[in-house]
Amino acid sequence: AACVVSKKVSARSVDRNRVERLCRESVRPHLAAMTASAALVFYAKREAVGAPFAEIRTDIQKLLQRIL
């Protein structure tokens, strides 16, 4: 799984790294449940910069439920 946060999302690297860390932590518990191998790439939007961890986690859970 990869989390991509471009400079269009935020010019500050601190914000981009935070979104990337939150994305990775949200995906980590679900990787063990995946039976088939897959390449997952998450592209962050501008709203993710100020979003709390709980919101990011629920969005990623919804996305992963679609493919699982």
Side-chain angles (χ1 to χ4, degrees):
C3 301
V4 179
V5 185
S6 71
K7 285 188 178 181
K8 289 182 181 180
V9 173
S10 177
R12 296 179 53 199
S13 62
V14 173
D15 295 333
R16 291 193 311 269
N17 290 336
R18 179 185 176 274
V19 171
E20 205 169 307
R21 284 193 312 271
L22 293 176
C23 176
R24 271 185 278 151
E25 285 303 313
S26 299
V27 172
R28 191 180 316 267
H30 300 287
L31 292 177
M34 295 187 66
T35 57
S37 62
L40 303 174
V41 181
F42 296 94
Y43 290 95
K45 294 189 176 186
R46 288 188 179 144
E47 296 84 21
V49 173
F53 177 65
E55 188 176 334
I56 293 174
R57 184 179 56 214
T58 56
D59 288 344
I60 289 179
Q61 284 176 348
K62 288 178 187 176
L63 290 170
L64 291 175
Q65 284 176 356
R66 285 186 192 176
I67 62 171
L68 293 177

